[in-house]
Structure formats: structure tokens, C-alpha cells
Amino acid sequence: MGVGACSPKPTPYEWQIPPGFPAPNVPEDNPMTVEKVTLGEKLFNDVRLSVNEQQSCASCHLKSFAFSDPKKVSIGTTGEALARNSMALVNVAYNGSFTWAHNGLGSLEKQILIPLFNEEPIEMGVSGFETEILARLEEYEDEFALAFDNAEVDFDNIVKALASYVRSLTSFNSDFDRYAYFNDDSALSESAIRGMDLFFSEKLECFHCHGGFNFTQSSKHAFQKLDLVSFHNTGLYNEDEKGSYANGDQGLADITFNDAHRGKFRAPTLRNIELSAPYMHDGSVATLSEVIDIYAAGGRGDGINNPLKSPFVQGFDITEEEKQDLINFLTSLTDESFVE
Ligand code: HEC
Ligand code: HEC
């Protein structure tokens, strides 16, 4: 068609990433451009992308909650409850894996197909209504032409634009960042520094699973030579003494059909964790204080004796003051500028 030849050259996207951090992952067939990120942001917030025009991506990924959902589990556009708590979208561009427990979603572009096309449960309900939904988006024609050589308003380009926008959601401006990376010794209180020391201690072991600059193991970037995609059972449930989790959600085992993977989930990033309550894959923990109590006990209820529990979740003694220190550290990971 030769549209590309006469369309203006796309503007390369400039990452909001401080010096010293590695470059995020960008697939070769979807380079970052300002035009795609701008279009992606509009689509992310546009309810016309759902079958009944009730929900956008932003309905379950609210900016003020670090792009997560304050509901325990999210509700899809036609009212069906999802099995899981919506995830915060923070530095997702570095993810080595996507969602709470999946080892086969190699890219954000693949992951984004799930909320769009999932039928059980319905999230945005696009399946079967593709033509109708694309017709609603005709007014973006010019913007698709600026963003894509082929200028098509189609789901391939919609997904590419959405992925570009989600990649642009980077967060490196917390008090912790100022302290740890930008040499501002006064950015953390003494209590938060004590909490940080606890977090990185062999007593609490948090850093084993929430490691690196994103506080998650499942990262992929130039500084991480090993492609770590790890999933852990942290002892939240033990329904049958054999390690099963509750509500029919067995985490990684539901993907691999390997019984030993029951209850294994990804350790998510802890950046902006203060904003993304409730916690865990099913939103079953309301506060950071309760999260710490669970780790201190070595799990929750019968989950403490879950035979598949990670050896790093053994439990530990912690005083009230230490607990407050740890909470102060975790809340120092909040980046106010990210949610403004
Ligand atoms: C009905 C609520 C809902 C809608 C609508 C929704 N999401 Fe999600 N999102 C979730 C839930 C729940 C998860 C966790 C899924 C899981 O673990 O199985 C998730 C996970 C994600 C992740 C994975 C993050 C990570 O770190 O692995 C990304 C990215 C994402 N959503 C982007 C989007 C985009 C883009 C849209 C719009 C096309 C969207 N979501 C629409 C609820 C929703
Ligand atoms: C064995 C690995 C492991 C260790 C050790 C560990 N975590 Fe986790 N963490 C996880 C996994 C996996 C999840 C998600 C579990 C789930 O949803 O079932 C998680 C979830 C969390 C969450 C909730 C995240 C969210 O977005 O909902 C917080 C907060 C948290 N951990 C903090 C800590 C702290 C603090 C420590 C140290 C006391 C710690 N973790 C130790 C693996 C670990």
C-alpha cells in the first residue's frame, strides 16, 4: 500500500530511567515510539475497548493504586469475578514473566491478549465482537497512521500500542531510590534504614525472592545474565495436607500440570507496594502489617505446614518496633510522582 513511505517518521521514545539502570526489554517488532505510547495510553483508558463499553484496562489498573485494583479480586466488564487480584503495573518492561503464575507468556504482547479475549471469566469480552469494537475506534485512524507503518486499526496494532504504554510505566523516584541510588543519605529515616537491613537479612530472607532493583526475581535485562523465572509456595494455604491452595487456584500447577507446582506464584515487585493493597494473588491479605505477620509465622494457618512451602519461609521472631521499621522501609518504595 505504500502508506509508510508518506507517513511522518515516528519519534523515538525517551525512557524515564535514571542513569545506571539497564535498558528494558523491547521486542524487535514493536519498538518504542512516542506515537505508540500516546495512542496506547488513550486505548488503555477507553471503555469502548470492552464489549459493553463498561470497562477499560484502567478499570482494573487504577493509576492512584499504582495501576492495580483495590478490590480483592477484579470484576470483569459483564460482572464476572476474576480468580485473582489485579497486579500493579510497575516497571513491567523488565518482567521475565507475566501474571501471578505463568511460565509461558514470553512477552507483554502475549499477556495483553488475555484481558482482551478471555472468555472464562470474561474480562473485556472482545471475542466474537472484534469488528464491532474496531468500528468504534475509527476516530483513532489518524493516530494509528502516525504510529504504524501499515496504518491499520486492528487488534495487532492495538496490542502493540497498549504494550508500549504499559512499558512506559517506569518508577524510579522513591525515597529508597534517592537513598540507595542517588546518594541522598537523608532520604530514608533511621527506622526505614533499620527496616531495609531487616529486609536484606538472612533472618527475614525477603530479598531472596524479592531481589534486585525491582524487588522481584522474575526480571530480564542486560544486568541479569541468568534468566530467572521463579515461582514460590509461601504457605498461604494447605487445603488437603498435600499442599493444595484454596478456591481452585493452584498457581503454576494450573499451567504446568505438575503437582509439585501447587501454590507456586511469582514474587511480584514491591515497588509502590503501599499503594497496591490488598495483597497476594487472591487479595486475601489486607495490610502490610498482616503480610509481615504471615511471614513471621512461616505461613498462614494450615499453610504453615504446607509440604510444598519454600525453605525460605521458615518464620522468624520480630519485635513490634522491628515490624514498624520494616513497614517504613516498604513504604519508602512509594514513588509519588508515578501516580500523580
Ligand atoms: C477485569 C479486570 C482487568 C482488566 C479489564 C484488565 N486487567 Fe490486567 N490484570 C488483571 C488481573 C486480575 C491480573 C493478574 C492475572 C493473573 O495472574 O492471572 C492482571 C495482570 C496484568 C498484567 C501483568 C502484570 C505483570 O507484572 O505480570 C498486565 C501487563 C496487564 N494486566 C495489563 C492489562 C491491560 C493492557 C489491559 C487492557 C487491555 C488489562 N490488563 C485489563 C485484571 C484486569
Ligand atoms: C520464598 C520466596 C519469598 C520470600 C522469602 C518472601 N516473599 Fe514475599 N512474596 C513471594 C511470593 C511468591 C508472593 C506472592 C504469593 C501469592 O500471591 O500467593 C509474595 C508476596 C509478597 C507481598 C504482596 C505483594 C503483592 O503485590 O500483593 C509482599 C508485600 C511481600 N511478599 C513482602 C515480603 C517480605 C516483607 C518478605 C520478608 C519478610 C517476603 N515477602 C519474603 C515470595 C517470597
Side-chain angles (χ1 to χ4, degrees), residues 85 100 199 204-206 208-210 232 234 236 245 263 265-270 273 276 278-282 288 291-292 295 310 312-313 316 326 330:
N85 178 250
W100 282 102
F199 185 90
L204 267 64
E205 308 279 18
C206 315
H208 277 291
C209 306
H210 300 281
H232 314 272
T234 55
L236 291 177
Y245 263 39
F265 289 86
R266 176 157 77 90
T269 182
L270 299 181
I273 193 70
S276 66
Y279 302 110
M280 306 303 172
H281 66 278
D282 56 359
L288 288 174
V291 169
I292 297 170
Y295 282 115
S310 162
F312 287 119
V313 183
F316 46 79
L326 184 56
L330 292 171

Side-chain angles (χ1 to χ4, degrees), residues 29 152 188 214-215 221 241 284 312 324:
D29 66 351
E152 301 283 354
L188 289 191
N214 273 335
F215 301 92
H221 50 76
E241 309 280 301
S284 62
F312 287 119
Q324 194 52 54

Side-chain angles (χ1 to χ4, degrees), residues 11-82:
T11 322
Y13 178 76
E14 279 190 40
W15 289 99
Q16 302 295 308
I17 292 174
F21 288 93
N25 308 306
V26 180
E28 261 172 39
D29 66 351
N30 193 19
M32 290 287 278
T33 66
V34 172
E35 288 78 5
K36 262 189 261 178
V37 171
T38 309
L39 173 61
E41 178 168 14
K42 290 185 185 165
L43 293 169
F44 190 88
N45 290 289
D46 195 331
V47 295
R48 289 175 299 179
L49 207 46
S50 65
V51 59
N52 54 1
E53 304 188 52
Q54 296 297 309
Q55 264 193 10
S56 66
C57 307
S59 306
C60 300
H61 297 285
L62 288 79
K63 187 172 192 180
S64 51
F65 297 93
F67 299 92
S68 74
D69 188 345
K71 292 194 191 79
K72 249 180 99 166
V73 295
S74 288
I75 311 291
T77 195
T78 57
E80 293 181 28
L82 274 57

Side-chain angles (χ1 to χ4, degrees), residues 26 123 247 250 288 304:
V26 180
E123 294 184 49
N247 307 317
Q250 302 304 331
L288 288 174
I304 294 170

Side-chain angles (χ1 to χ4, degrees), residues 43-44 49 55-61 69 73-77 80 82-92 95 97-102 108 111-116 122-124 158 162-163 165-166 249 265-266 268-269 281:
L43 293 169
F44 190 88
L49 207 46
Q55 264 193 10
S56 66
C57 307
S59 306
C60 300
H61 297 285
D69 188 345
V73 295
S74 288
I75 311 291
T77 195
E80 293 181 28
L82 274 57
R84 293 185 181 159
N85 178 250
S86 161
M87 303 188 91
L89 304 180
V90 180
N91 294 349
V92 173
N95 274 23
S97 71
F98 298 88
T99 77
W100 282 102
H102 204 307
L108 197 47
Q111 191 277 323
I112 289 174
L113 297 173
I114 301 176
L116 288 172
I122 288 178
E123 294 184 49
M124 300 180 73
I158 289 172
L162 287 170
Y165 171 62
V166 173
D249 189 350
F265 289 86
R266 176 157 77 90
T269 182
H281 66 278

